[in-house]
């Protein structure tokens, strides 16, 4: 078939909406369908793999683009950009596995490099694996033999020492192969499984071009030529090795945990490692660089609360099993974290996961050996129905809060300061189990206050955002709690739960 416009073609799928997608990309002069089959009477490699029971948890697509000797054909750099747009429009957030023939392999490499160059960590980390079939990483002598009048931009991009090929190799070394992983920012650290094939009868791409060391992949030599290497049946070595490679990477849908990803942008808008199912942009309400800090007004907290309710409604409609969970990526003030955790509380049957310190903290973990120190201080009005709760995790703020309460002439019956038993500090809570144990103790303390007749709790906290979210997740069915935020200087009422 002749491709009029670049695009994705769905070939096979046992599931209506799998989270794994295998995308096949043809090479120069290729075709999104015929490249992958021996003749019109046989099934394509895509169909063979798509119908395999062991690969039923993936969708299979073919990507086509205009190619050939006509003028104005796209080079591999431009095809990579088109591919990205089509993936964003049709497969955003899905895990991707590429099977690429000839120039298609350069398209995939450029696609990966572009994600690094653009700091698109979420899209980068969707790429789980690549299969390369007779790819001219160092160019093809065939492209140099064609008469000058037959050479367009697409063919020129495959000539040896072409500037775009040289740049692609340099970038691959920089980001992927030669020490690149250690030098990258944490959000871009990502390993991609790769396997490549060289056909020993290939007269288009020589061995040295198809098997470069800088690629960093396993290389398989097969008794095929440049065309036959992707026109195979299920008895061939190529098919069996590709099948095994895909099976190792595709996690069965039945055991893959179901979770909703929530992005909440506060102090700035971040590039995050996973695409969001639901996204809240609150950057207009925050500015940490002013004095006092720009924080949300009471009306804005009302808007934010309603938007969180919409996120909670989305989760309740989309959850599939009792094991459904929320994975939260948030960079905002601590009261906002408490509010998020409270909207997705334990009493609603939510398992919450929080991105913290390059880790994922899960509310299902609890370190029973982690101890929390709770010290109670008398207030200035013993019969008052208000208590103050202070969470001193990263820094002990008890004295600061007492001074603030005195300056503002706040009446309260008691102040409870909770901190890790080892004392407050940047590393006083390490890992999900300790964070959950701390949140559980905060809940116990709040329940005890309620049982003692306290009607209102004022909450002040200094802790990692992940701890704040887990505290909110636990703080349910207690007295009304007003959460205060540090305004630099002083404290202001933020929101209530």
């Amino acid at each position: 078939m002749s491709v009029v416009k670049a695009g994705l073609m769905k070939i096979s799928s046992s599931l209506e909406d799998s989270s794994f997608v295998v995308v096949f990309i043809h090479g120069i002069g290729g075709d999104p369908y015929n490249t992958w089959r021996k003749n019109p009477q046989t099934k394509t490699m895509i169909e063979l793999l798509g119908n395999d029971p062991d690969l039923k948890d993936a969708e299979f697509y073919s990507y086509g683009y205009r190619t050939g000797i006509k003028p104005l054909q796209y080079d591999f750099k431009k095809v990579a950009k088109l591919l990205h747009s089509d993936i964003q429009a049709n497969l955003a957030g899905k895990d991707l596995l590429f099977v690429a023939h000839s120039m298609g392999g350069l398209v995939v490499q450029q696609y990966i490099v572009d994600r690094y160059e653009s700091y698109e960590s979420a899209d980068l980390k969707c790429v789980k694996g690549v299969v390369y079939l007779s790819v001219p990483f160092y160019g093809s002598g065939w492209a140099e033999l064609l008469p000058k009048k037959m050479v367009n931009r697409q063919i020129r991009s495959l000539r040896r020492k072409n500037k775009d090929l040289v740049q692609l190799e340099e970038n691959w070394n920089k980001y992927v192969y030669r020490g690149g992983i250690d030098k990258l920012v944490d959000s871009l650290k990502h390993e991609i499984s790769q396997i490549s094939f060289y056909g020993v009868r290939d007269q288009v791409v020589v061995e040295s071009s198809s098997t470069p060391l800088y690629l960093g992949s396993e290389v398989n030599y097969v008794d095929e030529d440049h065309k036959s290497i992707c026109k195979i049946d299920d008895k061939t070595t190529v098919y069996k090795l590709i099948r095994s490679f895909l099976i190792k990477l595709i996690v069965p849908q039945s055991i893959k945990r179901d979770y909703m990803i929530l992005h909440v942008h506060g102090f700035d808008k971040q590039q995050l490692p996973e695409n969001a199912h639901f996204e809240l942009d609150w950057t207009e309400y925050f500015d940490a660089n002013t004095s006092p800090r720009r924080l949300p007004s009471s009306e804005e907290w009302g808007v934010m609360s309603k938007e969180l309710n919409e996120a909670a409604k989305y989760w309740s409609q989309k959850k599939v099993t009792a094991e459904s969970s929320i994975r939260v990526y948030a960079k905002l003030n601590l009261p906002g974290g408490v509010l998020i955790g409270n909207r997705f509380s334990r009493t609603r049957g939510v398992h919450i996961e929080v991105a913290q310190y390059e880790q994922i903290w899960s509310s299902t973990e609890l370190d029973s050996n982690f101890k929390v120190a709770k010290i109670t201080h008398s207030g200035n009005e013993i019969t008052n129905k208000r208590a103050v709760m202070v969470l001193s995790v990263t820094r002990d703020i008890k004295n600061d809060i007492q001074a603030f309460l005195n300056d503002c002439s706040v009446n309260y019956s008691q102040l409870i300061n909770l901190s890790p038993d080892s004392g407050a500090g940047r590393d006083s809570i390490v890992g999900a189990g300790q964070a959950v144990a701390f949140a559980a103790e905060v809940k116990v303390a709040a329940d005890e206050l309620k049982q003692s007749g306290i009607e209102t709790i004022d909450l002040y906290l200094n802790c990692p955002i992940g701890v704040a979210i887990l505290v909110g997740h636990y703080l349910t069915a207690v007295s009304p709690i007003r959460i205060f935020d540090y305004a630099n200087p002083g404290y202001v009422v933020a929101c209530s739960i």
Side-chain angles (χ1 to χ4, degrees), residues 25-151:
I25 306 176
H26 62 78
I28 228 175
D31 178 274
Y33 202 75
N34 293 322
T35 287
W36 308 102
R37 64 178 176 179
K38 291 182 178 180
N39 57 62
Q41 284 71 50
T42 59
K43 289 185 177 181
T44 65
M45 187 201 310
I46 311 173
E47 291 170 313
L48 291 172
L49 291 167
N51 293 332
D52 191 308
D54 291 328
L55 295 170
K56 63 181 176 59
D57 291 284
E59 298 176 76
F60 288 78
Y61 283 76
S62 186
Y63 189 71
Y65 56 91
R66 290 189 295 167
T67 180
I69 62 174
K70 292 182 179 180
L72 304 177
Q73 305 288 36
Y74 309 128
D75 59 22
F76 66 82
K77 292 182 70 175
K78 188 61 66 67
V79 177
K81 293 184 183 300
L82 295 171
L83 173 64
H84 179 243
S85 296
D86 288 324
I87 286 174
Q88 289 301 297
N90 300 282
L91 306 174
K94 292 179 181 285
D95 290 331
L96 300 172
L97 300 159
F98 292 106
V99 179
H101 177 237
S102 195
M103 191 184 88
L106 302 178
V107 171
V108 173
Q109 274 197 307
Q110 188 65 54
Y111 175 91
I112 293 169
V113 164
D114 286 347
R115 307 289 70 75
Y116 280 106
E117 298 266 82
S118 303
Y119 284 83
E120 296 169 357
S121 57
D123 293 340
L124 171 67
K125 291 182 178 181
C126 284
V127 181
K128 304 302 182 183
V130 186
V131 177
Y132 303 101
L133 297 165
S134 292
V135 175
F137 298 103
Y138 288 143
S140 169
W142 164 84
E144 297 175 4
L145 295 175
L146 290 175
K148 189 173 182 179
K149 64 180 181 180
M150 297 178 64
V151 177

Side-chain angles (χ1 to χ4, degrees), residues 420-437:
D421 197 44
S422 59
R426 184 172 295 276
D427 298 320
S428 62
I429 286 182
V430 180
Q434 295 183 1
V436 173

Side-chain angles (χ1 to χ4, degrees), residues 278 280-282 285 302-312:
F278 205 97
L280 299 174
D281 185 357
W282 293 344
Y285 306 135
V303 173
M304 294 157 64
S305 182
K306 288 180 181 178
E307 291 180 350
L308 266 178
N309 287 340
E310 288 300 312

